[in-house]
Amino acid sequence: MITTTKPSARTIVTVLVAVFGAMSAARALRPAWEVPTPTEDNLTEERLQDFRDALYFPIREFLAGGNPYDPAAMFAHWPVRQNFNLYQPYHLVLHLPFALPDYRIGAVAFTLASLLLLGVLALLAARNAKMPLVLGTVAIAALLVTSQVGKAQLYVGQVNPLIAVGAAGALMARSSHPRLAALGLAVAWLKPQFGLPLAILLFARGSRRVALGGTAIAALASLPVVALLVYRGGGVGPFLEVISANLAHASGTTYGAVDSMTAQRVDLPAVFFRVTEALPPAAELAALVGVLAVTAVLARKLDRGDQDSRSIADLVTGVGLVVALVHQPGDVLIAVPAMAAVAVVCWRRRKERDWRLAAIALLALLVPFAHLYFVNTAVAGLFGHRVDVTVDGVAIVVAWVLLVVAARRKIA
């Protein structure tokens, strides 16, 4: 006699969510195989623009014997629209396989790798939140590839999924597996605006070996590339001149300047300027020092509490990192594992007033994830482009302030 067992409700839900996620993923992958080969005539193409400007052609310039950090060289030799910012030099070797083949093949391969990394991030988030691992991973992954933050990584070809996995690993493993956490921090150093504040906050929270070890790994990995660029450029002096020109160019662009009304920056000084049209002296330095100091003190004190308090510490760390220094809406991706953990705690302790502020902060953090194309169109149509490029930053800054208040209440 053959017996059959009915699938459980959890299995059915997992399959349905997985199908939904697969459909969203297929839609998010379309730009990679539809994007045209870059030429001088299609520089305004937004699909895979970060892959084009910050990975494929910079690595091609490096392989050709040039210095991709030199804006003049990049604009003269390749069909790029944006300057190659100061990514860690090891980036030019780490992502080398994606720049060796034809552009479209490299774009598709990189996008598939980014999609896989979003899945890994979802796995880390489900584990961090102590959710049912399979269902939690599938659900979070489906939400990520459907959200604006997740889709944007694949649409423009950003490296943030890798950085988010590294940052999550550094925070989650800093006590139990410090060597693995140091490697995660080294990956987060891929973009210094992630690596620097994260290293500072990890050091302040007592994970000194992780902070110093991860920074050392990133430096050692980049040293051979720097040495080669210095040799090619004729010495340290010319190399530093290139770096200075790179910084000057980045600070003067409409997407990178702190006082730009069209920039999508979500850090505190840039958001403050777009809201008030005022920029206090040394605003960026003051924000960096002030936000990191407040975040570090609160996170360190929260670490002395229970696991729920430590989840708030990780979240205020991730969000504080984003509002302290130059960042864009998609960079909040690094806070996803901590968001998942705090969401579960808020639900479990929903009757306790102390957790309501944290829940409101989570809702604010969902704004950039929900800022889909039709929302973008509606907001821009009703309130104008300035509001549209500012709403995400305001929401993230408000979330950080609410988390600070919630943390202070818990400490008190």
Side-chain angles (χ1 to χ4, degrees):
M1 180 177 178
I2 298 176
T3 60
T4 60
T5 57
K6 294 182 179 180
S8 65
R10 179 182 293 182
T11 301
I12 295 173
V13 171
T14 301
V15 171
L16 292 176
V17 174
V19 171
F20 172 75
M23 293 172 61
S24 294
R27 183 178 179 85
L29 286 171
R30 284 177 57 188
W33 57 71
E34 292 179 350
V35 64
T37 301
T39 67
E40 294 293 339
D41 296 327
N42 59 14
L43 292 180
T44 57
E45 175 62 63
E46 293 182 348
R47 290 173 294 182
L48 279 297
Q49 66 177 13
D50 275 22
F51 173 77
R52 176 194 66 196
D53 297 347
L55 194 152
Y56 191 83
F57 287 118
I59 294 176
R60 287 282 181 140
E61 174 70 11
F62 177 68
L63 292 175
N67 186 342
Y69 295 105
D70 185 354
M74 288 300 301
F75 291 127
H77 300 158
W78 308 100
V80 294
R81 185 185 182 189
Q82 301 174 96
N83 180 44
F84 177 56
N85 292 324
L86 296 181
Y87 289 71
Q88 280 286 340
Y90 74 72
H91 161 66
L92 299 170
V93 176
L94 179 66
H95 289 110
L96 183 66
F98 300 110
L100 292 177
D102 174 77
Y103 180 81
R104 188 179 298 257
I105 295 174
V108 171
F110 178 76
T111 307
L112 287 171
S114 297
L115 179 62
L116 178 61
L117 286 167
L118 288 178
V120 174
L121 184 65
L123 173 63
L124 293 175
R127 183 174 181 180
N128 198 40
K130 295 181 173 58
M131 301 170 65
L133 200 57
V134 176
L135 176 57
T137 300
V138 170
I140 295 173
L143 290 173
L144 279 177
V145 296
T146 305
S147 73
Q148 180 59 24
V149 168
K151 290 198 302 182
Q153 313 305 314
L154 308 182
Y155 187 82
V156 299
Q158 295 182 327
V159 296
N160 288 344
L162 177 60
I163 294 173
V165 169
L171 288 169
M172 292 173 62
R174 66 191 186 92
S175 298
S176 58
H177 300 88
R179 292 181 179 178
L180 184 61
L183 183 60
L185 174 60
V187 171
W189 261 109
L190 179 61
K191 286 185 178 180
Q193 67 263 42
F194 285 95
L196 174 63
L198 182 56
I200 292 172
L201 292 174
L202 285 169
F203 189 92
R205 291 178 64 179
S207 299
R208 297 180 179 180
R209 287 176 57 194
V210 174
L212 297 176
T215 301
I217 292 171
L220 290 173
S222 292
L223 191 58
V225 179
V226 172
L228 181 58
L229 293 176
V230 169
Y231 173 76
R232 287 176 177 176
V236 175
F239 176 75
L240 293 179
E241 290 177 3
V242 167
I243 299 302
S244 177
N246 185 291
L247 290 170
H249 184 275
S251 64
T253 60
T254 57
Y255 65 87
V258 65
D259 56 353
S260 169
M261 280 297 181
T262 59
Q264 291 189 342
R265 285 176 52 168
V266 298
D267 50 290
L268 182 57
V271 171
F272 183 83
F273 176 78
R274 288 203 304 278
V275 172
T276 65
E277 297 187 29
L279 191 65
E284 291 182 282
L285 178 60
L288 175 63
V289 174
V291 170
L292 291 185
V294 171
T295 301
V297 169
L298 293 175
R300 187 176 178 86
K301 291 182 178 180
L302 287 167
D303 282 338
R304 299 169 187 162
D306 58 14
Q307 183 59 46
D308 292 350
S309 295
R310 290 193 289 273
S311 68
I312 288 286
D314 285 346
L315 184 56
V316 77
T317 294
V319 181
L321 184 158
V322 172
V323 302
L325 201 54
V326 182
H327 282 286
Q328 294 184 337
D331 295 350
V332 78
L333 187 71
I334 67 167
V336 165
M339 288 174 64
V342 173
V344 170
V345 175
C346 287
W347 176 254
R348 192 177 69 246
R349 305 178 68 168
R350 58 189 179 278
K351 294 182 180 179
E352 300 178 23
R353 295 182 60 183
D354 288 349
W355 287 91
R356 291 179 184 175
L357 275 179
I360 297 172
L362 282 177
L363 291 176
L365 285 175
L366 290 178
V367 170
F369 289 88
H371 201 162
L372 298 163
Y373 178 75
F374 73 92
V375 176
N376 172 275
T377 303
V379 172
L382 290 172
F383 305 106
H385 183 65
R386 176 177 170 183
V387 172
D388 181 54
V389 298
T390 305
V391 64
D392 289 345
V394 170
I396 294 171
V397 170
V398 167
W400 178 77
V401 172
L402 290 174
L403 288 169
V404 167
V405 176
R408 285 182 58 86
R409 287 185 179 180
K410 288 194 66 61
I411 293 168

